[in-house]
Amino acid sequence: MRGWGGDLLENLIHREEIGSTNDDLKKLIRFGEVWEGALVLAERQTSGRGRNGAAWTCEEGKGLTFSVLVRPHWPKERWGWVSLAAGLAVAEAMESLSFSPQIKWPNDLLLKDKKFCGILVEAMGDDVVVGIGLNVKGEEKSFPEGVEATTLEAVAGYECSREQALERVWRNLGQVMKRQPEEVAEAVWERLAWRDEEILLLNDGQGETGVIRAFGSNGELQVEVGGELRKVSDVSSVRKS
Ligand code: BTN
């Protein structure tokens, strides 16, 4: 059966090589060839994209690069929560495999303060493409110098299955998307990196310190700066202090 109630295999569109799974899924949406829960998985991406125009690279066979079609049942003015919901879906899936990840707002996933998963969410009409890059295998030293990244295996110290991680994330994404944004907010807050800690807010080259205190109504950060709460929507402005 196609959709969240079925098996992953019935929802899987497998590509050996593709530019970007997000772009491929968007093309399928344009042609009306997909359904909620459809997942495009690529063994190789030739132009994998991250946020803010960055590239996303993944050594073949080491990680997972895939995109899932979700149709949020929330009003569009609450779609800011989809990013956080996707991060939560990955976090809970990893918890079911005995990891203890943190969510770095809005949707990076950290293990021991190092990124192991990045998420790129792109809306298209009533559809949302959730693109996920997850580092499963390999050592930390395989990442370029200066990149603070890790993999499931590097943290666990034992072999991890890409198939199992993929299945858990996909199934849990379907579950999380059925919840209300308030429930998502609470669960993300429990797992939020730098929660109630001092952070650096960058604005036009200027840095100010603040403390992350809460979420806004659409998943923005509420940061306390000089005794007042400030709404922060720009991910590139938040740094660890
Ligand atoms: C980030 O951390 O900046 C987001 C990275 C998202 C990468 C994934 S890999 C699968 C999907 N296809 C893409 O082109 N990007 C996302």
Side-chain angles (χ1 to χ4, degrees), residues 20-22 45 48-51 56 66 108 115 118-119 131-133:
S20 149
T21 56
N22 268 33
Q45 288 192 123
R49 295 185 287 111
R51 276 194 310 263
W56 181 268
F66 62 100
D108 280 349
K115 179 166 170 171
I119 301 177
I132 300 179

Side-chain angles (χ1 to χ4, degrees), residues 74 78 81 84-85 88 103 176 179-192 195 214-220:
W74 311 325
R78 309 217 71 190
W81 288 102
L84 289 156
L88 176 63
I103 300 171
V176 170
R179 300 181 200 164
Q180 292 304 320
E182 290 72 21
E183 296 171 77
V184 171
E186 202 180 314
V188 173
W189 184 254
E190 281 169 20
R191 297 162 173 82
L192 193 72
R195 175 188 58 174
F215 291 123
S217 60
N218 202 19
E220 317 87 348

Side-chain angles (χ1 to χ4, degrees), residues 141-154:
K141 63 178 188 230
S142 63
F143 294 103
E145 218 181 300
V147 174
E148 287 283 286
T150 193
T151 71
L152 296 183
E153 283 193 355

Side-chain angles (χ1 to χ4, degrees), residues 102-105 110 113 188 191-195 197 212:
Q102 283 193 304
I103 300 171
K104 187 178 137 225
W105 180 86
L110 310 180
D113 290 331
V188 173
R191 297 162 173 82
L192 193 72
W194 313 345
R195 175 188 58 174
E197 281 178 27
I212 298 176

